[in-house]
Each structure stands twice: as structure tokens, then as C-alpha cells.
Amino acid sequence: MNDRVFAVLFVAALSSCRTVVGPDYERPSIELPDSWAAIDDVPEDAAAMPDEWWLALGDPALDRIVELVLSDSPSLEESFARWEESLAVRGIAAADRLPTADLRYERRRDSGSEAFFPAGGGIQDTYTLGLDASFEPDLFGRIRRTIEAADADIEARRADLEDLWRVLAADTAATYVDLRTIDAQLELARANLAIQEETLALVKAQQVSGLADQLSVDRAQADASETEARIPQLEADARGRARRLAVLAGRTYPELPVDLREALEQPRVIPAAPPLPSLAPPAEIAERRPDLRRLERDLAAQTARIGAAVADLYPSVTLFGFAGVSAPEQDQLFESLSRTWGFGPRFTWNVFDRRRIKNRVSVEEARADQARARFERAGLEAWDKGEDFALRYANEETRLARLRTAAESSARAVELAREQYAAGLVDLQVVLDTQRVLLGLSEQFAASQGALTKNWIALGRATSAGRLAIESPSG
């Protein structure tokens, strides 16, 4: 049997005995209830929660700013770069399956060993030019486990992108609702200020007639001034929310399109929250959520890394070879007698480093346990938040209805108190008290409108799947 036939048979024998060590991944399950306790009274014909849930709020300005954020956010660019990085890391891991070849030029000067040359070898120059090649068969699956981990990392980074789409949409919508809530509070503050200024004018007129003293004028003036002092603060808050929307879109506020800036600066009503939607069972939503999918893929990657670490406990074989020319003089390199070649296997086994390798395996196993715990905890927390947001929505809806009734009654009480004060039937304190109650109830009503819509947004974020168009990696 010649050397070439031996080499072929040796490689074939190595390939036939390959195995993969380490644990095979099994996706863990999360035990969740079959239904949502907080929304068990939702009508059977209720609409499902769409992935683009903000469109159901029916606000064109909101739709426009969400679209802008989801196309231009720097956070998405950063996350996309991490996804591209994971593709490159996978390419590096896959390259280990292939032979390597290096072009080598070498000049060496050696003293001859008397063991080979009893008469003394003297000084020997050697010039070498050729191709070094090597190949490590993946006997115990170290490379395959590394590629498996890299594939799971790609899927995890893709899930990160999809989850960021979901989070950015929710953050943008919540900030926009904050802006419109402040708009409503500004309108209410100005309306209440107008009422208080009318009361102040009435008190001053009665002072001229001798029916009111300076103390009454000062008290009415103090209430009006207090309300007026709130307006600049609310205006600053509104500008801050508008700037925040621009930052989410990756630009300064003046860089927003002119028509969008005009829409944000024009006061609008708070987007009304739709009715509670029909939701899929908690376990089904958990399967769709990209943040949970990312944690599950992280666990898969970490499980594969255990196998890559275990493979280091086993021996490895490297096949190497060289073909080229070698001569004692550089100008003799390309003569026919200078041709040379060589090949052979190299066997290595870290028999004296097993403790370090076993500790590394323990490290990877502990990290997998941590990843599994994070996944299970996140699944339970996702269910808990869904229940919480649904319950908050239902309770806020009830609270809003009662605040509306209270605010309407308070507005009538203010009108009646002013009429009775003008007729001398009640004193000024009654008027001022009813105005303060109206101001407080009006602000609570506006805040409750915003809170109801934000709870609906949070429910959309907690139950939507996220979306991002990315071509699946291949190779």
C-alpha cells in the first residue's frame, strides 16, 4: 500500500467515526394558564389585538411618527449591526470545517546535529518555498457545536430586532399620548383660568360697590395666579415630549418634517383607547413574543457551548501536509532536484489539562442554567404584565366614567356658586372651593384618559409579536 492510498483510507476512517458530544438541546416549556383572568368578560366577537395596534387609535399624526421611528431609529441601526456581527461570527465558526492552506517562504540557518552527522554537520542554510496545508476532522463535534451556537445567536439577534420594533412602537405611542394629555391639561388650565379671571373681575366689581373687601380680591387673585403659573410648566412639558419623539426618530426636533412638526404643535384630543381586544391564550402569546424567543435562543446557544467545551476532553487529530521546494541556495529553489513534499497526522490530547477543561464545562453548564432560569422567569413575568395591563385598563375605564360624571357635576356647581355669590346668597369661599374642585377633577379626568390609552398601548406591547423584514441567513 503506497502512502497516498494510506492517507485516503486514514481520512475515511476518521470521517466514519465522528460523533457529537455534549447535551442535545431540548426547548423548555413554561406552564401558563389557559386563559386571561382579567379579561374573561370580553365579548366573543371582539377584535383581536393586531401587531400594528397603534393604527387602531385612529390618529394620523401618531401613525406618521411611529412610521418614522420604525424606519430611522438609531437603536434599530445598532441592533441590525449586532445581527450582521452574528452572521460574521457564524462564518468564522463554519470556516473551521475546511482545510487551511498557507503559502510559506522560509530561510533557516541551522547547526548540524552530531546525532545525525557524526562527523559534524557544520552550519547549514536552508531555503524553503511551498504550500502548508492542514485539516482537523471534527471527531467529537467541537466545530459542529460551535456552529450550532452561532446559528442560535443569529436567531437571537434577529429576535432582538423584532422585539426592538415592538418596544420602539410602544415607547413612541406612549410618549405621543403623554404629549396629547399635556395638551388637554393645558386647555383645561386655560379654561379654568378664564373662569377664575371672571370671578376675580366680579369680586373687584363688588369691591367698588362696597360689597367685597380687599381680602376677597386677594384670595381670588391668588387662585387665578396659581392656575396661570401652571401653564408655562405644562408648555415646557409639551415641548419636551415633542423633542423626545424626534430623538426616538434619530434626529433633532427642527429636523422633523415640517408637516409633522405642525401636527405635533397643534393641540389634539387624547387618542381614545379601543375596547379590550380578544387575546390568544397566554401560552400562545408567549410563543410569539420576540423577547422570549430571544431568551430561548440564548439558552439554545449556551447549551451548544457545553458540547464545544466537552469536546476538548477528547483527543484531536490534525492532518498536515507540505508541497514545495527546498534547497541550500536560493537560486537552486526552482531546480527539479529541489522539489519536496510531506504529510502525516498529528495526535493531541490534553491529558494534563483536564481539570481546567472540566471547570470550563462546569462554567458553561452554569451559564446554561442561568439562561434557562431567565427564560422561565421572563415567561411568567410576561403573563403577569399582560394580566396587570388588562386589569388596569378595565379599572381605569371605570374610573374615567366616574371622573367624567364628577367633572360635569363640578362644572355645574361652579356656575351655580358664581350666580349665588353674585346674588349675595353665598360667600366667596364657596366659589373658590368649587373652582378648585373643578380644576382638580378636570386634571384627573385628562390624566385618566391618557392612562387608559397608555394601558391599552402597554397591553399591545405585551401581547404583540413584533415584526421586521430580514432575509434569513443561509450558508
Side-chain angles (χ1 to χ4, degrees):
M1 180 183 297
N2 62 39
D3 290 338
R4 293 181 181 178
V5 173
F6 172 78
V8 171
L9 293 177
F10 184 75
V11 172
L14 288 176
S15 299
S16 65
C17 68
R18 293 192 308 167
T19 187
V20 179
V21 298
D24 291 327
Y25 176 68
E26 294 183 5
R27 190 183 190 281
S29 60
I30 304 175
E31 297 297 328
L32 295 175
D34 295 329
S35 60
W36 300 93
I39 53 175
D40 55 356
D41 57 347
V42 173
E44 293 184 0
D45 59 348
M49 176 69 78
D51 284 338
E52 297 182 345
W53 40 261
W54 60 89
L55 298 177
L57 296 175
D59 191 309
L62 172 59
D63 300 342
R64 178 79 185 283
I65 190 65
V66 170
E67 179 184 0
L68 189 64
V69 169
L70 295 183
S71 63
D72 293 356
S73 171
S75 297
L76 282 173
E77 294 180 10
E78 178 187 0
S79 187
F80 189 82
R82 285 197 295 268
W83 178 72
E84 290 183 317
E85 176 189 357
S86 70
L87 294 178
V89 170
R90 201 269 186 194
I92 294 172
D96 288 340
R97 296 180 300 185
L98 306 175
T100 62
D102 300 306
L103 185 64
R104 173 163 64 94
Y105 171 75
E106 180 182 8
R107 177 189 176 184
R108 294 185 57 178
R109 172 165 289 185
D110 300 297
S111 62
S113 170
E114 292 186 5
F116 289 96
F117 305 98
I123 302 300
Q124 177 69 48
D125 287 335
T126 305
Y127 294 85
T128 303
L129 175 65
L131 190 68
D132 279 315
S134 65
F135 172 64
E136 180 184 344
D138 191 21
L139 297 181
F140 297 99
R142 179 184 62 81
I143 297 174
R144 278 167 287 172
R145 290 299 193 192
T146 302
I147 294 173
E148 181 183 338
D151 285 336
D153 281 335
I154 290 173
E155 294 167 353
R157 301 295 76 75
R158 180 189 175 96
D160 272 338
L161 269 168
E162 294 174 352
D163 187 49
L164 186 58
W165 184 92
R166 178 181 67 100
V167 170
L168 283 173
D171 287 349
T172 303
T175 303
Y176 181 84
V177 171
D178 284 341
L179 173 62
R180 295 313 178 199
T181 301
I182 295 170
D183 286 343
Q185 291 173 336
L186 266 170
E187 182 179 355
L188 290 169
R190 288 167 179 149
N192 277 286
L193 177 60
I195 294 173
Q196 290 170 336
E197 287 177 338
E198 290 177 2
T199 300
L200 176 60
L202 176 60
V203 174
K204 286 181 177 180
Q206 290 191 336
Q207 183 188 33
V208 172
S209 304
L211 299 176
D213 55 14
Q214 185 61 41
L215 177 60
S216 297
V217 173
D218 290 340
R219 291 166 62 190
Q221 180 67 65
D223 278 6
S225 297
E226 182 182 6
T227 302
E228 188 175 13
R230 286 181 49 78
I231 293 176
Q233 180 183 2
L234 291 170
E235 290 174 338
D237 290 343
R239 288 193 294 270
R241 296 302 190 281
R243 289 195 306 273
R244 175 60 183 163
L245 290 172
V247 170
L248 286 169
R251 60 195 71 192
T252 63
Y253 185 73
E255 292 174 332
L256 289 176
V258 175
D259 59 333
L260 182 56
R261 290 205 312 269
E262 292 175 349
L264 294 176
E265 292 167 2
Q266 180 181 356
R268 294 173 181 261
V269 298
I270 302 171
L276 271 176
S278 173
L279 297 178
E284 182 178 333
I285 287 178
E287 291 286 339
R288 298 173 59 214
R289 281 186 52 149
D291 56 334
L292 297 181
R293 189 163 63 253
R294 187 258 299 171
L295 291 172
E296 184 271 329
R297 290 290 80 199
D298 284 343
L299 173 58
Q302 189 54 47
T303 303
R305 292 188 185 101
I306 297 174
V310 171
D312 286 339
L313 291 169
Y314 294 85
S316 66
V317 174
T318 302
L319 306 179
F320 63 88
F322 172 79
V325 292
S326 181
E329 299 292 339
Q330 185 166 322
D331 56 4
Q332 297 176 352
L333 279 176
F334 298 102
E335 296 180 1
S336 60
L337 295 177
S338 299
R339 287 180 295 183
T340 183
W341 58 268
F343 73 90
R346 181 186 299 114
F347 177 89
T348 58
W349 196 350
N350 292 320
V351 293
F352 298 109
D353 205 16
R354 295 179 67 80
R355 177 170 295 182
R356 181 185 64 83
I357 297 172
K358 287 183 176 180
N359 282 330
R360 183 189 162 205
V361 172
S362 298
V363 167
E364 302 297 351
E365 289 174 340
R367 289 174 178 172
D369 291 340
Q370 295 170 45
R372 182 177 293 103
R374 282 194 296 270
F375 171 68
E376 293 173 350
R377 182 183 69 244
L380 293 173
E381 289 177 349
W383 162 77
D384 179 62
K385 288 180 179 179
E387 289 279 17
D388 184 62
F389 293 139
L391 180 61
R392 286 176 181 273
Y393 179 95
N395 290 348
E396 196 66 49
E397 197 172 31
T398 301
R399 180 171 178 266
L400 180 64
R402 292 172 180 170
L403 284 172
R404 178 182 289 109
T405 300
E408 291 171 351
S409 298
S410 182
R412 291 192 297 268
V414 167
E415 291 298 322
L416 182 60
R418 292 178 63 215
E419 292 174 0
Q420 292 181 349
Y421 175 73
L425 300 176
V426 296
D427 61 19
L428 179 62
Q429 186 61 47
V430 174
V431 177
L432 298 180
D433 288 344
T434 55
Q435 288 177 345
R436 292 193 192 99
V437 171
L438 175 60
L439 178 60
L441 286 172
S442 299
E443 290 181 343
Q444 289 186 61
F445 178 71
S448 180
Q449 282 183 299
L452 181 65
T453 303
K454 288 179 69 175
N455 281 327
W456 194 88
I457 291 170
L459 186 62
R461 171 177 173 170
T463 59
S464 65
R467 174 182 61 81
L468 200 67
I470 304 178
E471 293 297 327
S472 298
S474 60

